[in-house]
Amino acid sequence: MKRIESFCVNHLKLRQGLYLSRADGDAITYDLRMVVPNAGTYLENDGIHTFEHLLATYLRNTEYSDRVIYVGPMGCRTGFYLIFRDSVSKEEVISLTQQAMDFIAGYEGEIPGSTEIECGNYREHSLEKARRYAAEMQGFLSGWTPEKMRYEQ
């Protein structure tokens, strides 16, 4: 079988940040890498779950909502994939992601979509962890530029 592109990224050199992963027609995939791969520290499921609910809710409530295709966690628990239409520029994706981190880091209240009716695993959430993950990413994304969005070879 053909090796998929995400397995061609050198995970020994990958660090926290926001990367352009791939382009498929008008769908652009970004890699929001939140922890260093294979370093022994991974995002925890309850924090990932809450982070996903807050991130998706935030992005889908901006002026870009109709250009957000997908927001979801990586199976390796090191980050998230963000898929946008190509009409959203790299600068806009960076800004939106920074704004989303600010939103999540400061979020208080009910977790959107976290009732038994709305969520398939409504018991597994941690707002505390989601807020911590976002606060940590604020530092990594401060001053982020499109030039930094390339994977190191």
Side-chain angles (χ1 to χ4, degrees), residues 1-96:
M1 280 197 247
K2 180 180 168 188
R3 197 164 131 190
I4 63 172
E5 286 186 41
S6 62
F7 296 157
C8 296
V9 174
N10 186 342
H11 285 71
L12 297 174
K13 294 184 177 186
L14 194 52
R15 297 294 176 255
Q16 293 96 329
L18 181 63
Y19 302 94
L20 174 61
S21 178
R22 58 182 291 140
D24 298 289
D26 74 335
I28 310 299
T29 302
Y30 293 90
D31 172 345
L32 177 61
R33 193 62 61 151
M34 298 171 68
V35 298
V36 175
N38 302 308
T41 301
Y42 303 95
L43 303 173
E44 296 178 62
N45 285 332
D46 55 353
I48 290 171
H49 191 190
T50 302
F51 190 94
E52 175 191 16
H53 278 234
L54 292 170
L55 181 59
T57 297
Y58 181 82
L59 292 175
R60 291 191 172 115
N61 277 280
T62 67
E63 64 185 276
Y64 298 92
S65 64
D66 62 335
R67 293 176 271 173
V68 175
I69 298 172
Y70 175 76
V71 175
M74 297 175 181
C76 61
R77 298 183 5 238
T78 63
F80 281 78
Y81 290 115
L82 311 175
I83 305 176
F84 291 92
R85 300 264 177 233
D86 64 0
S87 59
V88 182
S89 71
K90 291 177 187 172
E91 291 84 2
E92 289 169 313
V93 170
I94 292 168
S95 179
L96 273 170

Side-chain angles (χ1 to χ4, degrees), residues 15-18 33-34 36 98 135-144 148:
R15 297 294 176 255
Q16 293 96 329
L18 181 63
R33 193 62 61 151
M34 298 171 68
V36 175
Q98 290 167 330
E136 290 170 4
M137 283 310 296
Q138 286 173 315
F140 290 108
L141 296 177
S142 178
W144 206 260
K148 294 180 179 181

